Amino acid sequence: MKHGIFSFLGTACASLVVASTLSTAHAATELRVLTHSSFAVPKPLLKQFEADTGITLRITKAGDAGEMLNKLILTRANPIGDVVYGIDNALAPKALAADVLEAYTGPAASRAAVVPLPTGLIPVDYGYVTLNYDKAWFAKSGLALPKTLEDLVQPAYAKLLVVQNPATSSPGYAFMLATVGGMGEEKAFDWWARMRANGVKVAKGWSEAYYTEFSRNGGKHPLVVSYATSPAAELFYSKEKLTEPPTASLSLPGGVFRQVEGVALVKGGKERAAAEKFIEFMRSSPVQQQMQTEMWMFPAEQGVARAEAMKFAPEPAAFDNPSDKDLADKGAAWLARWTKVVLK
């Protein structure tokens, strides 16, 4: 999640390459790490990894997670990375079907994680895509918060919600999947059709939705698809100017998706041994601890303490993920149907 003030979100489309070198007498192994644009492990930890292993990290940020996976698939004959971070449970079926990942069986694979991922991906972190609302807007308007997604199709809530296009945004795709998982396919797309008629705003990605369209940041929409951790990040980055988050998450039935992100070996990658060390690094306690207030996701490694800021990010009691099989078999068709119903 995950980017502006939130380093766990964003949908930058340009690739950013971060290269670091070790000042040693011997040439270091260079490991090509492919990530989405939200990747944000503190630099001191990355440098310590390089010093401890003799591995030089060449990190390529390849845009949104969906864009990153597409690049990986398009270059599978000559892979652009040795290890990849950021493929989530929504995208995993596509990655596995494209045969771009290679199984890892090291220690991190044998340890039970807090959350699961399909074989071939090692869970690193997880979070919840859900609605967020602007507290001040609702307090001023006197409008009651919606209690169900069905409320949002009523005239009183017209033009209040901004969502991300699921074709170009991983949180947008996750939210669409949650509606299908929670309501069933037919009812979900009927709801989307009525939301279109009621003025739902569609943004290309999370940054546009949150920083341009959301009323908290000067936009016109007091409801936005974001993460359950977004309010905690709002408070954290206020640098003690605020005593409580100015926003809150709103977990409505059919509107919550549990997103699990993983790390994996790239099939055909050049530096297998170095890639395996990086996988273990991503599940190490220091990374799992510090990434919480960098990418604003919960740690997948069992026993890792929650960051203090996460007390303002309670986990939703329920979520509405479709089954892995339905994701694999129907995800593309759902996306095509959403595009036809909402945009055409």
Side-chain angles (χ1 to χ4, degrees), residues 31 49 55 82-83 102-108 265 271-282:
L31 179 66
F49 173 81
I55 296 168
D82 305 309
V83 64
E102 189 172 347
Y104 173 63
T105 58
L265 299 169
E271 300 295 344
R272 174 68 180 260
E276 291 182 348
K277 290 180 181 179
F278 184 80
I279 288 175
E280 294 297 332
F281 169 70
M282 291 298 290

PDB file of all heavy atoms in Angstrom, residues 31 49 55 82-83 102-108 265 271-282:
ATOM      1  N   LEU A  31      22.310  -7.834  -7.440  1.00  0.00           N
ATOM      2  CA  LEU A  31      20.990  -8.457  -7.408  1.00  0.00           C
ATOM      3  C   LEU A  31      19.967  -7.467  -7.941  1.00  0.00           C
ATOM      4  O   LEU A  31      19.809  -6.371  -7.406  1.00  0.00           O
ATOM      5  CB  LEU A  31      20.623  -8.872  -5.982  1.00  0.00           C
ATOM      6  CG  LEU A  31      19.237  -9.509  -5.817  1.00  0.00           C
ATOM      7  CD1 LEU A  31      19.175 -10.847  -6.551  1.00  0.00           C
ATOM      8  CD2 LEU A  31      18.892  -9.682  -4.342  1.00  0.00           C
ATOM      9  N   PHE A  49      22.202  -4.842   4.760  1.00  0.00           N
ATOM     10  CA  PHE A  49      22.095  -6.085   3.993  1.00  0.00           C
ATOM     11  C   PHE A  49      23.261  -6.213   3.019  1.00  0.00           C
ATOM     12  O   PHE A  49      23.880  -7.273   2.896  1.00  0.00           O
ATOM     13  CB  PHE A  49      20.772  -6.120   3.236  1.00  0.00           C
ATOM     14  CG  PHE A  49      20.638  -7.272   2.278  1.00  0.00           C
ATOM     15  CD1 PHE A  49      20.271  -8.534   2.728  1.00  0.00           C
ATOM     16  CD2 PHE A  49      20.891  -7.103   0.913  1.00  0.00           C
ATOM     17  CE1 PHE A  49      20.152  -9.604   1.846  1.00  0.00           C
ATOM     18  CE2 PHE A  49      20.775  -8.163   0.020  1.00  0.00           C
ATOM     19  CZ  PHE A  49      20.401  -9.413   0.489  1.00  0.00           C
ATOM     20  N   ILE A  55      26.404  -8.217  -1.364  1.00  0.00           N
ATOM     21  CA  ILE A  55      25.502  -8.121  -2.512  1.00  0.00           C
ATOM     22  C   ILE A  55      25.160  -6.655  -2.760  1.00  0.00           C
ATOM     23  O   ILE A  55      24.818  -5.923  -1.833  1.00  0.00           O
ATOM     24  CB  ILE A  55      24.206  -8.920  -2.267  1.00  0.00           C
ATOM     25  CG1 ILE A  55      24.516 -10.409  -2.134  1.00  0.00           C
ATOM     26  CG2 ILE A  55      23.198  -8.673  -3.379  1.00  0.00           C
ATOM     27  CD1 ILE A  55      23.348 -11.218  -1.601  1.00  0.00           C
ATOM     28  N   ASP A  82      15.832 -10.479 -10.771  1.00  0.00           N
ATOM     29  CA  ASP A  82      16.175 -11.788 -10.212  1.00  0.00           C
ATOM     30  C   ASP A  82      15.210 -12.187  -9.099  1.00  0.00           C
ATOM     31  O   ASP A  82      15.001 -13.361  -8.830  1.00  0.00           O
ATOM     32  CB  ASP A  82      17.605 -11.771  -9.660  1.00  0.00           C
ATOM     33  CG  ASP A  82      18.623 -11.337 -10.695  1.00  0.00           C
ATOM     34  OD1 ASP A  82      18.621 -11.903 -11.804  1.00  0.00           O
ATOM     35  OD2 ASP A  82      19.407 -10.402 -10.402  1.00  0.00           O
ATOM     36  N   VAL A  83      14.636 -11.182  -8.459  1.00  0.00           N
ATOM     37  CA  VAL A  83      13.673 -11.390  -7.385  1.00  0.00           C
ATOM     38  C   VAL A  83      12.648 -10.275  -7.483  1.00  0.00           C
ATOM     39  O   VAL A  83      12.965  -9.164  -7.913  1.00  0.00           O
ATOM     40  CB  VAL A  83      14.387 -11.396  -6.008  1.00  0.00           C
ATOM     41  CG1 VAL A  83      15.017 -10.052  -5.687  1.00  0.00           C
ATOM     42  CG2 VAL A  83      13.446 -11.829  -4.882  1.00  0.00           C
ATOM     43  N   GLU A 102       9.498 -18.739  -9.614  1.00  0.00           N
ATOM     44  CA  GLU A 102      10.128 -20.021  -9.316  1.00  0.00           C
ATOM     45  C   GLU A 102       9.976 -20.299  -7.829  1.00  0.00           C
ATOM     46  O   GLU A 102      10.117 -19.389  -6.996  1.00  0.00           O
ATOM     47  CB  GLU A 102      11.608 -19.973  -9.714  1.00  0.00           C
ATOM     48  CG  GLU A 102      12.318 -21.301  -9.646  1.00  0.00           C
ATOM     49  CD  GLU A 102      13.718 -21.218 -10.243  1.00  0.00           C
ATOM     50  OE1 GLU A 102      14.034 -20.223 -10.922  1.00  0.00           O
ATOM     51  OE2 GLU A 102      14.495 -22.159  -9.993  1.00  0.00           O
ATOM     52  N   ALA A 103       9.693 -21.516  -7.476  1.00  0.00           N
ATOM     53  CA  ALA A 103       9.445 -21.866  -6.077  1.00  0.00           C
ATOM     54  C   ALA A 103      10.689 -21.662  -5.226  1.00  0.00           C
ATOM     55  O   ALA A 103      11.807 -21.972  -5.639  1.00  0.00           O
ATOM     56  CB  ALA A 103       8.970 -23.308  -5.980  1.00  0.00           C
ATOM     57  N   TYR A 104      10.478 -21.147  -4.016  1.00  0.00           N
ATOM     58  CA  TYR A 104      11.542 -20.997  -3.022  1.00  0.00           C
ATOM     59  C   TYR A 104      11.199 -21.879  -1.832  1.00  0.00           C
ATOM     60  O   TYR A 104      10.060 -21.866  -1.357  1.00  0.00           O
ATOM     61  CB  TYR A 104      11.659 -19.529  -2.577  1.00  0.00           C
ATOM     62  CG  TYR A 104      12.621 -19.331  -1.434  1.00  0.00           C
ATOM     63  CD1 TYR A 104      13.971 -19.617  -1.589  1.00  0.00           C
ATOM     64  CD2 TYR A 104      12.186 -18.864  -0.203  1.00  0.00           C
ATOM     65  CE1 TYR A 104      14.864 -19.448  -0.543  1.00  0.00           C
ATOM     66  CE2 TYR A 104      13.063 -18.680   0.847  1.00  0.00           C
ATOM     67  CZ  TYR A 104      14.410 -18.978   0.675  1.00  0.00           C
ATOM     68  OH  TYR A 104      15.288 -18.813   1.715  1.00  0.00           O
ATOM     69  N   THR A 105      12.154 -22.646  -1.369  1.00  0.00           N
ATOM     70  CA  THR A 105      11.885 -23.616  -0.300  1.00  0.00           C
ATOM     71  C   THR A 105      12.746 -23.385   0.932  1.00  0.00           C
ATOM     72  O   THR A 105      12.886 -24.280   1.762  1.00  0.00           O
ATOM     73  CB  THR A 105      12.104 -25.050  -0.816  1.00  0.00           C
ATOM     74  OG1 THR A 105      13.458 -25.180  -1.291  1.00  0.00           O
ATOM     75  CG2 THR A 105      11.134 -25.374  -1.944  1.00  0.00           C
ATOM     76  N   GLY A 106      13.330 -22.204   1.070  1.00  0.00           N
ATOM     77  CA  GLY A 106      14.195 -21.919   2.207  1.00  0.00           C
ATOM     78  C   GLY A 106      13.431 -21.704   3.497  1.00  0.00           C
ATOM     79  O   GLY A 106      12.214 -21.929   3.571  1.00  0.00           O
ATOM     80  N   PRO A 107      14.137 -21.248   4.548  1.00  0.00           N
ATOM     81  CA  PRO A 107      13.532 -21.108   5.880  1.00  0.00           C
ATOM     82  C   PRO A 107      12.248 -20.279   5.902  1.00  0.00           C
ATOM     83  O   PRO A 107      11.283 -20.642   6.581  1.00  0.00           O
ATOM     84  CB  PRO A 107      14.642 -20.435   6.697  1.00  0.00           C
ATOM     85  CG  PRO A 107      15.910 -20.875   6.030  1.00  0.00           C
ATOM     86  CD  PRO A 107      15.585 -20.940   4.573  1.00  0.00           C
ATOM     87  N   ALA A 108      12.196 -19.165   5.187  1.00  0.00           N
ATOM     88  CA  ALA A 108      10.999 -18.320   5.217  1.00  0.00           C
ATOM     89  C   ALA A 108       9.789 -19.045   4.649  1.00  0.00           C
ATOM     90  O   ALA A 108       8.656 -18.786   5.049  1.00  0.00           O
ATOM     91  CB  ALA A 108      11.244 -17.023   4.443  1.00  0.00           C
ATOM     92  N   LEU A 265      11.151 -15.568  -6.195  1.00  0.00           N
ATOM     93  CA  LEU A 265      12.209 -15.714  -7.183  1.00  0.00           C
ATOM     94  C   LEU A 265      11.629 -15.533  -8.577  1.00  0.00           C
ATOM     95  O   LEU A 265      10.527 -16.011  -8.868  1.00  0.00           O
ATOM     96  CB  LEU A 265      12.837 -17.108  -7.085  1.00  0.00           C
ATOM     97  CG  LEU A 265      13.511 -17.478  -5.760  1.00  0.00           C
ATOM     98  CD1 LEU A 265      13.838 -18.965  -5.753  1.00  0.00           C
ATOM     99  CD2 LEU A 265      14.765 -16.641  -5.542  1.00  0.00           C
ATOM    100  N   GLU A 271      20.796 -14.486 -10.421  1.00  0.00           N
ATOM    101  CA  GLU A 271      21.489 -14.570  -9.124  1.00  0.00           C
ATOM    102  C   GLU A 271      20.607 -15.269  -8.100  1.00  0.00           C
ATOM    103  O   GLU A 271      20.042 -14.641  -7.202  1.00  0.00           O
ATOM    104  CB  GLU A 271      21.892 -13.169  -8.646  1.00  0.00           C
ATOM    105  CG  GLU A 271      22.830 -12.430  -9.582  1.00  0.00           C
ATOM    106  CD  GLU A 271      24.191 -13.103  -9.693  1.00  0.00           C
ATOM    107  OE1 GLU A 271      24.510 -13.939  -8.831  1.00  0.00           O
ATOM    108  OE2 GLU A 271      24.929 -12.781 -10.641  1.00  0.00           O
ATOM    109  N   ARG A 272      20.471 -16.571  -8.211  1.00  0.00           N
ATOM    110  CA  ARG A 272      19.570 -17.346  -7.356  1.00  0.00           C
ATOM    111  C   ARG A 272      19.971 -17.247  -5.884  1.00  0.00           C
ATOM    112  O   ARG A 272      19.127 -16.991  -5.021  1.00  0.00           O
ATOM    113  CB  ARG A 272      19.565 -18.798  -7.822  1.00  0.00           C
ATOM    114  CG  ARG A 272      18.779 -19.767  -6.944  1.00  0.00           C
ATOM    115  CD  ARG A 272      17.278 -19.506  -6.990  1.00  0.00           C
ATOM    116  NE  ARG A 272      16.543 -20.435  -6.164  1.00  0.00           N
ATOM    117  CZ  ARG A 272      15.898 -21.510  -6.626  1.00  0.00           C
ATOM    118  NH1 ARG A 272      15.895 -21.766  -7.924  1.00  0.00           N
ATOM    119  NH2 ARG A 272      15.231 -22.301  -5.820  1.00  0.00           N
ATOM    120  N   ALA A 273      21.246 -17.459  -5.564  1.00  0.00           N
ATOM    121  CA  ALA A 273      21.678 -17.450  -4.159  1.00  0.00           C
ATOM    122  C   ALA A 273      21.445 -16.087  -3.512  1.00  0.00           C
ATOM    123  O   ALA A 273      20.977 -15.990  -2.376  1.00  0.00           O
ATOM    124  CB  ALA A 273      23.151 -17.850  -4.058  1.00  0.00           C
ATOM    125  N   ALA A 274      21.765 -15.025  -4.235  1.00  0.00           N
ATOM    126  CA  ALA A 274      21.559 -13.674  -3.706  1.00  0.00           C
ATOM    127  C   ALA A 274      20.075 -13.377  -3.541  1.00  0.00           C
ATOM    128  O   ALA A 274      19.663 -12.755  -2.558  1.00  0.00           O
ATOM    129  CB  ALA A 274      22.206 -12.650  -4.640  1.00  0.00           C
ATOM    130  N   ALA A 275      19.270 -13.842  -4.489  1.00  0.00           N
ATOM    131  CA  ALA A 275      17.825 -13.628  -4.406  1.00  0.00           C
ATOM    132  C   ALA A 275      17.241 -14.325  -3.183  1.00  0.00           C
ATOM    133  O   ALA A 275      16.350 -13.788  -2.513  1.00  0.00           O
ATOM    134  CB  ALA A 275      17.159 -14.130  -5.679  1.00  0.00           C
ATOM    135  N   GLU A 276      17.732 -15.515  -2.880  1.00  0.00           N
ATOM    136  CA  GLU A 276      17.242 -16.236  -1.705  1.00  0.00           C
ATOM    137  C   GLU A 276      17.582 -15.484  -0.424  1.00  0.00           C
ATOM    138  O   GLU A 276      16.777 -15.432   0.514  1.00  0.00           O
ATOM    139  CB  GLU A 276      17.832 -17.637  -1.690  1.00  0.00           C
ATOM    140  CG  GLU A 276      17.285 -18.530  -2.803  1.00  0.00           C
ATOM    141  CD  GLU A 276      17.838 -19.946  -2.741  1.00  0.00           C
ATOM    142  OE1 GLU A 276      18.806 -20.179  -1.978  1.00  0.00           O
ATOM    143  OE2 GLU A 276      17.295 -20.820  -3.449  1.00  0.00           O
ATOM    144  N   LYS A 277      18.760 -14.883  -0.371  1.00  0.00           N
ATOM    145  CA  LYS A 277      19.128 -14.088   0.809  1.00  0.00           C
ATOM    146  C   LYS A 277      18.218 -12.878   0.955  1.00  0.00           C
ATOM    147  O   LYS A 277      17.848 -12.482   2.064  1.00  0.00           O
ATOM    148  CB  LYS A 277      20.591 -13.656   0.708  1.00  0.00           C
ATOM    149  CG  LYS A 277      21.587 -14.795   0.876  1.00  0.00           C
ATOM    150  CD  LYS A 277      23.017 -14.301   0.772  1.00  0.00           C
ATOM    151  CE  LYS A 277      24.000 -15.468   0.931  1.00  0.00           C
ATOM    152  NZ  LYS A 277      25.405 -15.012   0.803  1.00  0.00           N
ATOM    153  N   PHE A 278      17.823 -12.287  -0.168  1.00  0.00           N
ATOM    154  CA  PHE A 278      16.932 -11.128  -0.111  1.00  0.00           C
ATOM    155  C   PHE A 278      15.551 -11.530   0.387  1.00  0.00           C
ATOM    156  O   PHE A 278      14.924 -10.777   1.142  1.00  0.00           O
ATOM    157  CB  PHE A 278      16.835 -10.477  -1.492  1.00  0.00           C
ATOM    158  CG  PHE A 278      16.019  -9.209  -1.494  1.00  0.00           C
ATOM    159  CD1 PHE A 278      16.569  -8.016  -1.056  1.00  0.00           C
ATOM    160  CD2 PHE A 278      14.694  -9.211  -1.921  1.00  0.00           C
ATOM    161  CE1 PHE A 278      15.820  -6.842  -1.053  1.00  0.00           C
ATOM    162  CE2 PHE A 278      13.939  -8.052  -1.920  1.00  0.00           C
ATOM    163  CZ  PHE A 278      14.500  -6.862  -1.477  1.00  0.00           C
ATOM    164  N   ILE A 279      15.078 -12.692  -0.012  1.00  0.00           N
ATOM    165  CA  ILE A 279      13.781 -13.176   0.473  1.00  0.00           C
ATOM    166  C   ILE A 279      13.808 -13.310   1.990  1.00  0.00           C
ATOM    167  O   ILE A 279      12.885 -12.875   2.690  1.00  0.00           O
ATOM    168  CB  ILE A 279      13.423 -14.512  -0.198  1.00  0.00           C
ATOM    169  CG1 ILE A 279      13.047 -14.276  -1.668  1.00  0.00           C
ATOM    170  CG2 ILE A 279      12.260 -15.191   0.536  1.00  0.00           C
ATOM    171  CD1 ILE A 279      12.786 -15.541  -2.455  1.00  0.00           C
ATOM    172  N   GLU A 280      14.871 -13.909   2.520  1.00  0.00           N
ATOM    173  CA  GLU A 280      14.987 -14.050   3.979  1.00  0.00           C
ATOM    174  C   GLU A 280      15.077 -12.679   4.651  1.00  0.00           C
ATOM    175  O   GLU A 280      14.517 -12.462   5.731  1.00  0.00           O
ATOM    176  CB  GLU A 280      16.204 -14.908   4.320  1.00  0.00           C
ATOM    177  CG  GLU A 280      16.094 -16.355   3.878  1.00  0.00           C
ATOM    178  CD  GLU A 280      14.954 -17.095   4.557  1.00  0.00           C
ATOM    179  OE1 GLU A 280      14.582 -16.734   5.698  1.00  0.00           O
ATOM    180  OE2 GLU A 280      14.416 -18.042   3.940  1.00  0.00           O
ATOM    181  N   PHE A 281      15.772 -11.753   4.013  1.00  0.00           N
ATOM    182  CA  PHE A 281      15.891 -10.388   4.530  1.00  0.00           C
ATOM    183  C   PHE A 281      14.521  -9.733   4.667  1.00  0.00           C
ATOM    184  O   PHE A 281      14.225  -9.082   5.676  1.00  0.00           O
ATOM    185  CB  PHE A 281      16.788  -9.592   3.573  1.00  0.00           C
ATOM    186  CG  PHE A 281      16.813  -8.112   3.796  1.00  0.00           C
ATOM    187  CD1 PHE A 281      17.423  -7.561   4.911  1.00  0.00           C
ATOM    188  CD2 PHE A 281      16.245  -7.250   2.858  1.00  0.00           C
ATOM    189  CE1 PHE A 281      17.462  -6.180   5.101  1.00  0.00           C
ATOM    190  CE2 PHE A 281      16.271  -5.871   3.034  1.00  0.00           C
ATOM    191  CZ  PHE A 281      16.886  -5.338   4.164  1.00  0.00           C
ATOM    192  N   MET A 282      13.657  -9.916   3.674  1.00  0.00           N
ATOM    193  CA  MET A 282      12.338  -9.290   3.712  1.00  0.00           C
ATOM    194  C   MET A 282      11.452  -9.854   4.822  1.00  0.00           C
ATOM    195  O   MET A 282      10.504  -9.198   5.247  1.00  0.00           O
ATOM    196  CB  MET A 282      11.642  -9.422   2.361  1.00  0.00           C
ATOM    197  CG  MET A 282      12.283  -8.588   1.248  1.00  0.00           C
ATOM    198  SD  MET A 282      12.235  -6.812   1.573  1.00  0.00           S
ATOM    199  CE  MET A 282      10.484  -6.468   1.378  1.00  0.00           C
TER     200      MET A 282
END
